[in-house]
Amino acid sequence: MVDKVTSQFAPQRAAAIAKFARHDGRWGRIRGNWATLLLPIGSDDAIDFTRLADEIDRLVAASVDGIYSNGTAGEFHNQTEAEFDAIQDLLARRCSAAGIPFVIGACQADARLSLDRVRRAAAFRPEGIQVILPDWWPVTAEEATDFLMMAAGAADPVPLILYNPPHAKRVFTPSELAGILERVPQVVGVKLADGNVEWYAEARRMLDRWGVYVPGHHLASGVSQGVAVGAFSNVACLNPAGAQRWTSLMSTDLDAARDIETRLRTFLDAHIAPFGRDHGYSNAALDKLLAAVGNWADIGTRLRRPYRWIDPEIATRLRLAAHAAIPEIMAPD
């Protein structure tokens, strides 16, 4: 966990908030609280597009800063190319009609399939396209740069966001990332796991020119450290309207937002993380559990086979604990 901001860092607080609030950075409108699109899966293992459309409408009604598709929680790794196209078409039509920014995840472990997804995603003119690095064999920094250059060509003129999660075959340090990203101007941001105070110090030095997106439940710490401009957020899985309120609070009362984060982390560590750490459930299963706890849309906890999902009755039992721990986030809009 990131240490509390020290008194020595206090003079940088205004600059930290200013970076977080900027709309004129290279990352443009890709800032703040971005809600992930979770796939409602039926008992026949098919995507329920009627429920998916309703989910998008509820996210729009929550006035989130943006919506993104096909992250880990969106099960990009377990859908056909036709399904990929149908999901992006639905997202683009619903968001464009509502005037809300959207980002398409064109993630695929296979480099060629990923580039194909990037080309098709660019046709929807999203705010940005998120990509992962080829993942069957760990890439070198040179190979990562080459792939991002190819992705930039496929996406042109849509900007890219690199998703470099902790479970990637190759996780780059902030210094390594800076060396890669500076050679691919079309990459405007990077989504990654944060670290300790030393990690944040390196990120401030090396990644200031890019939008940095930290885990959603770490966002107040990331903002206070002068690094984060937003999150593709697991907190929005829990309650998109509550996550938006919490994100807005960071621009006016960062100390209060950090207090909420402390209680949020405690709740997640005690009630959600053990399902992954002790029982082997995937991150997508945990995010769908959060959505079931929040109960803001008819998504369900079911994943596509062969991945296991968590009994939805558990969400009912956790709901009271969530309301007690983080009422600011759980309160209805």
Side-chain angles (χ1 to χ4, degrees), residues 46-63:
I47 300 169
D48 188 329
F49 282 92
T50 299
R51 289 158 60 200
L52 185 63
D54 178 70
E55 177 190 344
I56 296 171
D57 291 344
R58 289 174 184 268
L59 290 174
V60 170
S63 299

PDB file of all heavy atoms in Angstrom, residues 46-63:
ATOM      1  N   ALA A  46     -23.968 -17.847 -23.926  1.00  0.00           N
ATOM      2  CA  ALA A  46     -24.005 -16.787 -24.931  1.00  0.00           C
ATOM      3  C   ALA A  46     -24.054 -15.419 -24.256  1.00  0.00           C
ATOM      4  O   ALA A  46     -24.551 -15.275 -23.131  1.00  0.00           O
ATOM      5  CB  ALA A  46     -25.230 -16.953 -25.823  1.00  0.00           C
ATOM      6  N   ILE A  47     -23.533 -14.414 -24.956  1.00  0.00           N
ATOM      7  CA  ILE A  47     -23.615 -13.033 -24.480  1.00  0.00           C
ATOM      8  C   ILE A  47     -25.057 -12.555 -24.644  1.00  0.00           C
ATOM      9  O   ILE A  47     -25.645 -12.693 -25.715  1.00  0.00           O
ATOM     10  CB  ILE A  47     -22.661 -12.130 -25.274  1.00  0.00           C
ATOM     11  CG1 ILE A  47     -21.208 -12.595 -25.127  1.00  0.00           C
ATOM     12  CG2 ILE A  47     -22.802 -10.673 -24.816  1.00  0.00           C
ATOM     13  CD1 ILE A  47     -20.244 -11.916 -26.087  1.00  0.00           C
ATOM     14  N   ASP A  48     -25.614 -11.980 -23.585  1.00  0.00           N
ATOM     15  CA  ASP A  48     -26.971 -11.449 -23.628  1.00  0.00           C
ATOM     16  C   ASP A  48     -26.878  -9.966 -24.016  1.00  0.00           C
ATOM     17  O   ASP A  48     -26.630  -9.108 -23.179  1.00  0.00           O
ATOM     18  CB  ASP A  48     -27.645 -11.606 -22.270  1.00  0.00           C
ATOM     19  CG  ASP A  48     -29.123 -11.247 -22.292  1.00  0.00           C
ATOM     20  OD1 ASP A  48     -29.506 -10.371 -23.089  1.00  0.00           O
ATOM     21  OD2 ASP A  48     -29.887 -11.820 -21.490  1.00  0.00           O
ATOM     22  N   PHE A  49     -27.077  -9.682 -25.293  1.00  0.00           N
ATOM     23  CA  PHE A  49     -26.893  -8.323 -25.781  1.00  0.00           C
ATOM     24  C   PHE A  49     -28.006  -7.381 -25.328  1.00  0.00           C
ATOM     25  O   PHE A  49     -27.793  -6.170 -25.263  1.00  0.00           O
ATOM     26  CB  PHE A  49     -26.762  -8.333 -27.305  1.00  0.00           C
ATOM     27  CG  PHE A  49     -25.402  -8.752 -27.779  1.00  0.00           C
ATOM     28  CD1 PHE A  49     -25.124 -10.086 -28.064  1.00  0.00           C
ATOM     29  CD2 PHE A  49     -24.381  -7.822 -27.916  1.00  0.00           C
ATOM     30  CE1 PHE A  49     -23.859 -10.474 -28.484  1.00  0.00           C
ATOM     31  CE2 PHE A  49     -23.113  -8.199 -28.341  1.00  0.00           C
ATOM     32  CZ  PHE A  49     -22.849  -9.525 -28.627  1.00  0.00           C
ATOM     33  N   THR A  50     -29.170  -7.912 -25.006  1.00  0.00           N
ATOM     34  CA  THR A  50     -30.230  -7.052 -24.466  1.00  0.00           C
ATOM     35  C   THR A  50     -29.829  -6.509 -23.104  1.00  0.00           C
ATOM     36  O   THR A  50     -29.955  -5.304 -22.827  1.00  0.00           O
ATOM     37  CB  THR A  50     -31.554  -7.832 -24.358  1.00  0.00           C
ATOM     38  OG1 THR A  50     -31.944  -8.271 -25.658  1.00  0.00           O
ATOM     39  CG2 THR A  50     -32.645  -6.958 -23.761  1.00  0.00           C
ATOM     40  N   ARG A  51     -29.326  -7.386 -22.240  1.00  0.00           N
ATOM     41  CA  ARG A  51     -28.846  -6.940 -20.929  1.00  0.00           C
ATOM     42  C   ARG A  51     -27.603  -6.064 -21.064  1.00  0.00           C
ATOM     43  O   ARG A  51     -27.407  -5.135 -20.279  1.00  0.00           O
ATOM     44  CB  ARG A  51     -28.562  -8.148 -20.035  1.00  0.00           C
ATOM     45  CG  ARG A  51     -29.831  -8.862 -19.573  1.00  0.00           C
ATOM     46  CD  ARG A  51     -29.554 -10.291 -19.159  1.00  0.00           C
ATOM     47  NE  ARG A  51     -28.599 -10.403 -18.065  1.00  0.00           N
ATOM     48  CZ  ARG A  51     -27.916 -11.524 -17.789  1.00  0.00           C
ATOM     49  NH1 ARG A  51     -28.069 -12.612 -18.535  1.00  0.00           N
ATOM     50  NH2 ARG A  51     -27.072 -11.552 -16.772  1.00  0.00           N
ATOM     51  N   LEU A  52     -26.764  -6.344 -22.059  1.00  0.00           N
ATOM     52  CA  LEU A  52     -25.577  -5.526 -22.269  1.00  0.00           C
ATOM     53  C   LEU A  52     -25.966  -4.096 -22.658  1.00  0.00           C
ATOM     54  O   LEU A  52     -25.370  -3.122 -22.177  1.00  0.00           O
ATOM     55  CB  LEU A  52     -24.691  -6.148 -23.350  1.00  0.00           C
ATOM     56  CG  LEU A  52     -23.343  -5.469 -23.610  1.00  0.00           C
ATOM     57  CD1 LEU A  52     -22.448  -5.532 -22.377  1.00  0.00           C
ATOM     58  CD2 LEU A  52     -22.640  -6.101 -24.800  1.00  0.00           C
ATOM     59  N   ALA A  53     -26.964  -3.950 -23.518  1.00  0.00           N
ATOM     60  CA  ALA A  53     -27.431  -2.614 -23.904  1.00  0.00           C
ATOM     61  C   ALA A  53     -27.972  -1.859 -22.695  1.00  0.00           C
ATOM     62  O   ALA A  53     -27.717  -0.660 -22.523  1.00  0.00           O
ATOM     63  CB  ALA A  53     -28.500  -2.728 -24.986  1.00  0.00           C
ATOM     64  N   ASP A  54     -28.718  -2.558 -21.840  1.00  0.00           N
ATOM     65  CA  ASP A  54     -29.242  -1.924 -20.625  1.00  0.00           C
ATOM     66  C   ASP A  54     -28.108  -1.492 -19.708  1.00  0.00           C
ATOM     67  O   ASP A  54     -28.160  -0.411 -19.098  1.00  0.00           O
ATOM     68  CB  ASP A  54     -30.173  -2.894 -19.898  1.00  0.00           C
ATOM     69  CG  ASP A  54     -30.704  -2.315 -18.598  1.00  0.00           C
ATOM     70  OD1 ASP A  54     -31.526  -1.374 -18.659  1.00  0.00           O
ATOM     71  OD2 ASP A  54     -30.287  -2.766 -17.521  1.00  0.00           O
ATOM     72  N   GLU A  55     -27.068  -2.328 -19.607  1.00  0.00           N
ATOM     73  CA  GLU A  55     -25.902  -1.979 -18.782  1.00  0.00           C
ATOM     74  C   GLU A  55     -25.251  -0.683 -19.283  1.00  0.00           C
ATOM     75  O   GLU A  55     -24.917   0.203 -18.489  1.00  0.00           O
ATOM     76  CB  GLU A  55     -24.897  -3.126 -18.803  1.00  0.00           C
ATOM     77  CG  GLU A  55     -23.619  -2.844 -18.031  1.00  0.00           C
ATOM     78  CD  GLU A  55     -22.561  -3.894 -18.276  1.00  0.00           C
ATOM     79  OE1 GLU A  55     -22.894  -4.988 -18.791  1.00  0.00           O
ATOM     80  OE2 GLU A  55     -21.382  -3.626 -17.967  1.00  0.00           O
ATOM     81  N   ILE A  56     -25.063  -0.572 -20.594  1.00  0.00           N
ATOM     82  CA  ILE A  56     -24.466   0.644 -21.150  1.00  0.00           C
ATOM     83  C   ILE A  56     -25.342   1.851 -20.816  1.00  0.00           C
ATOM     84  O   ILE A  56     -24.838   2.909 -20.402  1.00  0.00           O
ATOM     85  CB  ILE A  56     -24.276   0.511 -22.669  1.00  0.00           C
ATOM     86  CG1 ILE A  56     -23.275  -0.593 -22.997  1.00  0.00           C
ATOM     87  CG2 ILE A  56     -23.801   1.847 -23.266  1.00  0.00           C
ATOM     88  CD1 ILE A  56     -23.194  -0.944 -24.473  1.00  0.00           C
ATOM     89  N   ASP A  57     -26.648   1.710 -20.965  1.00  0.00           N
ATOM     90  CA  ASP A  57     -27.547   2.829 -20.664  1.00  0.00           C
ATOM     91  C   ASP A  57     -27.455   3.239 -19.199  1.00  0.00           C
ATOM     92  O   ASP A  57     -27.523   4.431 -18.869  1.00  0.00           O
ATOM     93  CB  ASP A  57     -28.986   2.448 -21.014  1.00  0.00           C
ATOM     94  CG  ASP A  57     -29.212   2.301 -22.510  1.00  0.00           C
ATOM     95  OD1 ASP A  57     -28.360   2.775 -23.293  1.00  0.00           O
ATOM     96  OD2 ASP A  57     -30.233   1.703 -22.899  1.00  0.00           O
ATOM     97  N   ARG A  58     -27.285   2.276 -18.313  1.00  0.00           N
ATOM     98  CA  ARG A  58     -27.162   2.594 -16.878  1.00  0.00           C
ATOM     99  C   ARG A  58     -25.835   3.281 -16.587  1.00  0.00           C
ATOM    100  O   ARG A  58     -25.766   4.174 -15.734  1.00  0.00           O
ATOM    101  CB  ARG A  58     -27.331   1.331 -16.044  1.00  0.00           C
ATOM    102  CG  ARG A  58     -28.765   0.817 -16.039  1.00  0.00           C
ATOM    103  CD  ARG A  58     -28.888  -0.531 -15.333  1.00  0.00           C
ATOM    104  NE  ARG A  58     -30.247  -1.037 -15.434  1.00  0.00           N
ATOM    105  CZ  ARG A  58     -31.210  -0.822 -14.528  1.00  0.00           C
ATOM    106  NH1 ARG A  58     -30.938  -0.091 -13.435  1.00  0.00           N
ATOM    107  NH2 ARG A  58     -32.405  -1.313 -14.682  1.00  0.00           N
ATOM    108  N   LEU A  59     -24.782   2.894 -17.284  1.00  0.00           N
ATOM    109  CA  LEU A  59     -23.495   3.582 -17.111  1.00  0.00           C
ATOM    110  C   LEU A  59     -23.580   5.012 -17.627  1.00  0.00           C
ATOM    111  O   LEU A  59     -23.038   5.936 -17.017  1.00  0.00           O
ATOM    112  CB  LEU A  59     -22.396   2.811 -17.846  1.00  0.00           C
ATOM    113  CG  LEU A  59     -22.006   1.457 -17.250  1.00  0.00           C
ATOM    114  CD1 LEU A  59     -21.011   0.744 -18.158  1.00  0.00           C
ATOM    115  CD2 LEU A  59     -21.433   1.614 -15.850  1.00  0.00           C
ATOM    116  N   VAL A  60     -24.253   5.204 -18.743  1.00  0.00           N
ATOM    117  CA  VAL A  60     -24.461   6.556 -19.261  1.00  0.00           C
ATOM    118  C   VAL A  60     -25.244   7.387 -18.250  1.00  0.00           C
ATOM    119  O   VAL A  60     -24.894   8.538 -17.961  1.00  0.00           O
ATOM    120  CB  VAL A  60     -25.196   6.506 -20.613  1.00  0.00           C
ATOM    121  CG1 VAL A  60     -25.645   7.898 -21.034  1.00  0.00           C
ATOM    122  CG2 VAL A  60     -24.299   5.901 -21.693  1.00  0.00           C
ATOM    123  N   ALA A  61     -26.296   6.803 -17.669  1.00  0.00           N
ATOM    124  CA  ALA A  61     -27.113   7.519 -16.693  1.00  0.00           C
ATOM    125  C   ALA A  61     -26.324   7.874 -15.438  1.00  0.00           C
ATOM    126  O   ALA A  61     -26.632   8.868 -14.765  1.00  0.00           O
ATOM    127  CB  ALA A  61     -28.337   6.680 -16.324  1.00  0.00           C
ATOM    128  N   ALA A  62     -25.297   7.085 -15.119  1.00  0.00           N
ATOM    129  CA  ALA A  62     -24.462   7.363 -13.955  1.00  0.00           C
ATOM    130  C   ALA A  62     -23.476   8.501 -14.202  1.00  0.00           C
ATOM    131  O   ALA A  62     -22.770   8.921 -13.281  1.00  0.00           O
ATOM    132  CB  ALA A  62     -23.691   6.100 -13.553  1.00  0.00           C
ATOM    133  N   SER A  63     -23.422   9.004 -15.444  1.00  0.00           N
ATOM    134  CA  SER A  63     -22.550  10.128 -15.813  1.00  0.00           C
ATOM    135  C   SER A  63     -21.079   9.850 -15.529  1.00  0.00           C
ATOM    136  O   SER A  63     -20.339  10.734 -15.075  1.00  0.00           O
ATOM    137  CB  SER A  63     -22.992  11.404 -15.084  1.00  0.00           C
ATOM    138  OG  SER A  63     -24.313  11.766 -15.440  1.00  0.00           O
TER     139      SER A  63
END
